Structures are given as C-alpha cells and as structure tokens.
C-alpha cells in the first residue's frame, strides 16, 4: 500500500467519506465505495501499472480504471473512525455524510454498538465465525469490541431520512471484516493525518439490485515472483490442498440471493479451500440456484463470456495473472422479459444476453486483483515468461466444462 506525507490540516473539512463496500465477497484488502458507480482500494504500484498499460482486448473483462485519490483517517467527536478521500475536482465540495447510506449507517451503528456497555444495542446477527474471531482479537483502541452476538445471517435494519424502517436486507459480512482489519492496521501503524493513495475503479455491480457474485481464484499458482520464500511456501500449500491444483480454480467468496428467504447466502474463502472437485461442482450449482430453482437461463451466457475471455487470455503472451480473481456476476432479481410475443417467464429460453443492458438475465465476467500480475515490459521485472498463462487457461477450461456438465444435467 502506497502512503504519502501528512495531510494539510487546512483541508481537513473537505472530503468524501468512503463507505464499506457491502458486496465485497473475497480478497483481503478493503474495498470501499466512493460513489454509486465507483469503488476504491489501497493502491499497489504493480496493480496501478497493469491498469495503465492494459491490453485493449482485456478492457471489457476488467473494471474501468478511473485514476487515484488520496485518503486519510478521520475521527469524529464521538470517536467514530472513517476514511475520507480528497475528492476529484469535479466532485469537490464540503464534507458531507449521507444519512440515507445503508453502508454508513451500518458501520456507525456497529461502532456505537461496540462502544456501548453490555452490548445492549445488538446490531444484527450473521453467520461468520471468522469475523467474530477478528473482533475478539482486534487491538484497535475503542474501534470495535466483541460485545454482541454473532450467529445466523446479518440483516440491516436501517432507518431512512424520515425515520422509516428501510427494507430488511442481508449482506455479506466479508467486506466489513476487511474494513475492520484495514482500519485496525491504519490506527496502529500510521498517524491519523497520514495520506494514503487508493485506486479508483468501476463498481461493476452498481447496475444490479441483488448482485449475485462468485469470486474465483484463478490458476494453479497463486504466489507472485516478488514474495518471500515463506509466503511462497504458504501459497503453494494452499493450492496443493485445494481445487487450485487439480482444476486451476477455487472459490474465494460467494453471495447468491435466495428469493424465498429474501437474503444472501454467503460463502467465504475458507469454505472454498475445503472443497473437493465434486464439492466445487455443487458450489457452482448452488451459486446458480435462487432457493426455488436453478437459473438455467444463465448457463449459456456465462459460458459464452468465459469462452470469449479464454480466447483473449490465449493471445496475451508473457502475462501471468498470479493471485488474481475472476468475478461471475448476475442479478438475483427475476422479472419477465419483453419479446415480440409479449412477456415470457424467466424459465423460458433467452435469445442472447451478451452485454446487452436490455436483458434482465445479463451476466458479467470481470478479472480483478492484479497486485502480483507480471508481463514482459512491466517495470522492475526480473522474471519474464513466454506464451500465455497456462494455469489460468487450465482453470478457465475446467470451469467452462463443469458449467457445461451442469447445463447437460450430469
């Protein structure tokens, strides 16, 4: 993560409060919401260089790169911590927190809950033992304390600006865990007014009402050329003990909207590491199941886009996408689609989804996380490779085959 010199105190009241991104399903770096169509994450120089030199053919399969911003930690009069970005020029204005933001309300309520006495204001419940462990072990002063019960799924009950209770919705707790870990690190390692640089990227799920997201760690190798021997051995062990070795792909996180229960079913990277080949196949089936039926109309457009990506990757000589992820995204909201014959139900075959915004069954495939990506000509590279990435290609081929087997009912 890149940091800069301390911020000018005269600019302390200007900024954009970053919100926890509630649809982060994997990864360890905290992804934050900058605005409705933009997210940001701590800047890693290698990843920035990748986005700035991105091959044209890959742009449709990656988030749009929007530049960088500087960010600093801010503590309000009640001791609540938040990250504030120095805004882009066109958005520059006085600091303001939206009272209608669910993410901000949840995070502030969480801090109020954990700083209270006896846990009287229990925020919510969610099924995530790792988050509970992180809260118990956190050493950040008065940031978060484990004074509430964590079980079941997490549902936010947020009041809108008029005091009305908003729609009850669940969300994936992984993003809050990453946000907690990031704030804890910033509190303990840097002064409060330290400037940090963040990447600005397209929010690839902004168009979806109930974004169903599968985060897949791609390839048979996950360590970059720049890591220590200890970290290299750790990554190799994870690959050998998971489907990364035999399939070239493993699940790093998942959320799928269950329309019968009206909440997201969530899975994390620890779940993905334990899966066998058959377990991986069943997890893919679960990702495409909305609680009432298998979304079979999604299988063909997903495979079509994966084949298109496979063709692009095969033409990227010297690129190695170590430790990168692939997102498969669709909307959990089902509505009938209008055709020349009128409306037809979701179960009916769909003509062509592709990237058309008019199709309600649209799917999206995006590559993310390029902090360890290497390629010929990238700055300060000591190792170069010939030909396309064999591990990534192996993973894509197996993923396509398993989806085809599901489609054929095998």
């Amino acid at each position: 993560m890149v940091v800069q010199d301390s911020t000018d105190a005269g600019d302390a009241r200007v900024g954009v409060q970053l919100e926890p991104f509630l649809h982060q399903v994997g990864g360890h770096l905290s992804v934050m919401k900058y605005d409705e169509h933009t997210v940001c994450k701590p800047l890693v120089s290698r990843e920035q260089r990748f986005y700035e030199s991105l091959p044209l053919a890959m742009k449709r399969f990656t988030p749009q790169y929007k530049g960088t911003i500087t960010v600093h930690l801010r503590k309000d009069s009640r001791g609540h911590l938040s990250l504030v970005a120095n805004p882009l020029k066109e958005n520059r204005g006085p600091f303001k927190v939206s009272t209608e933001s669910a993410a901000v309300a949840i995070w502030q309520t969480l801090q109020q809950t954990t700083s209270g006495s006896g846990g009287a204001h229990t925020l919510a419940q969610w099924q995530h033992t790792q988050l509970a462990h992180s809260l118990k072990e956190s050493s950040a002063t008065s940031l978060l304390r484990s004074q509430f019960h964590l079980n079941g799924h997490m549902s936010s009950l947020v009041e809108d600006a008029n005091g009305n209770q908003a729609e009850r919705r669940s969300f994936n707790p992984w993003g809050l865990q990453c946000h907690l870990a990031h704030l804890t690190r910033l509190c303990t390692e840097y002064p409060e007014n330290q400037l940090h640089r963040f990447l600005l990227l397209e929010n690839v799920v902004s168009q979806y009402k109930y974004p169903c997201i599968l985060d897949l760690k791609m390839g048979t190798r996950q360590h970059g050329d720049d890591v220590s021997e200890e970290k290299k051995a750790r990554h190799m062990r994870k690959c050998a003990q998971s489907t990364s070795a035999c399939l070239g792909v493993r699940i790093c996180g998942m959320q799928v909207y269950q329309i019968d229960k009206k909440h997201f079913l969530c899975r994390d990277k620890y779940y993905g590491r334990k899966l066998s080949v058959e377990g991986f196949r069943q997890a893919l089936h679960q990702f495409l199941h909305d609680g009432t039926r298998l979304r079979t109309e999604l299988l063909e457009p997903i495979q079509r886009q994966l084949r298109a990506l496979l063709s692009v990757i095969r033409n990227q000589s010297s690129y190695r996408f170590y430790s990168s992820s692939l997102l498969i995204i669709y909307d959990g909201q089902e509505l009938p689609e209008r055709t020349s014959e009128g409306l037809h139900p979701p179960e009916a075959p769909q003509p062509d989804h592709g990237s058309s915004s008019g199709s309600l069954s649209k799917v999206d495939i995006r590559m993310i996380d390029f902090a360890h990506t290497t390629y010929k000509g990238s700055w300060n590279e000591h190792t170069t490779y010939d030909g396309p990435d064999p591990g990534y290609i192996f993973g894509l081929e197996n993923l396509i085959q398993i989806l085809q087997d599901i489609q054929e009912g095998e």
Side-chain angles (χ1 to χ4, degrees), residues 235-246:
H235 280 293
M236 291 178 67
R237 186 166 59 251
K238 290 176 185 176
C239 286
Q241 297 173 351
S242 69
T243 56
S244 291
C246 55

Side-chain angles (χ1 to χ4, degrees), residues 153-182:
H153 73 277
M154 187 170 189
S155 295
S156 59
L157 290 176
V158 183
E159 291 187 349
D160 60 23
N162 299 320
N164 300 316
Q165 194 175 81
E167 178 184 0
R168 185 185 184 94
R169 266 187 217 180
S170 70
F171 59 87
N172 198 313
W174 189 259
L176 287 181
Q177 178 181 335
C178 294
H179 187 53
L180 163 65
H182 189 206

Side-chain angles (χ1 to χ4, degrees), residues 79-100:
H80 296 163
L81 293 168
S82 61
L83 287 173
V84 177
N86 297 329
L88 299 174
K89 290 182 180 179
E90 61 268 24
N91 295 326
R92 197 167 183 84
F95 178 81
K96 183 179 181 181
V97 179
S98 171
T99 57
E100 298 181 0

Side-chain angles (χ1 to χ4, degrees), residues 239-298:
C239 286
Q241 297 173 351
S242 69
T243 56
S244 291
C246 55
L247 292 177
V249 56
R250 75 170 183 260
I251 291 176
C252 191
M254 179 176 85
Q255 68 177 36
V256 53
Y257 191 68
Q258 305 292 279
I259 63 172
D260 55 337
K261 297 178 181 177
K262 291 183 170 46
H263 70 73
F264 285 102
L265 173 67
C266 302
R267 297 283 185 258
D268 61 22
K269 64 181 182 181
Y270 304 105
Y271 165 84
R273 287 179 193 169
K274 298 175 183 178
L275 294 176
S276 63
V277 172
E278 176 58 23
F280 180 85
R281 191 198 71 81
Q282 292 176 3
L284 277 186
H285 187 281
Q286 185 178 55
F287 172 65
L288 296 167
H289 202 285
D290 65 9
T292 61
R293 72 176 189 92
L294 184 67
R295 297 284 300 275
T296 54
E297 75 277 6
L298 300 171

Side-chain angles (χ1 to χ4, degrees), residues 294-311:
L294 184 67
R295 297 284 300 275
T296 54
E297 75 277 6
L298 300 171
L299 285 161
E300 182 55 39
I302 290 175
Q303 291 175 73
R304 185 186 308 118
Q305 291 204 39
L306 288 174
R307 290 190 187 100
L309 174 60
L310 178 58
S311 177

Side-chain angles (χ1 to χ4, degrees), residues 302-372:
I302 290 175
Q303 291 175 73
R304 185 186 308 118
Q305 291 204 39
L306 288 174
R307 290 190 187 100
L309 174 60
L310 178 58
S311 177
V312 169
I313 297 298
R314 283 173 172 160
N315 288 317
Q316 304 309 312
S317 181
S318 84
Y319 278 81
R320 295 296 182 270
F321 303 99
Y322 298 139
S323 197
S324 70
S325 286
L326 182 66
L327 300 182
I328 301 178
I329 310 163
Y330 70 90
D331 203 328
Q333 175 183 236
E334 286 190 85
L335 289 174
E337 184 173 326
R338 184 172 297 279
T339 68
S340 57
E341 290 79 24
L343 294 175
H344 62 72
E347 292 83 352
Q350 305 295 310
D352 184 37
H353 306 278
S355 59
S356 170
S357 60
S359 172
L360 294 172
S361 295
K362 178 185 180 296
V363 302
D364 211 354
I365 306 294
R366 300 294 185 105
M367 300 173 68
I368 60 169
D369 298 341
F370 303 103
H372 299 287

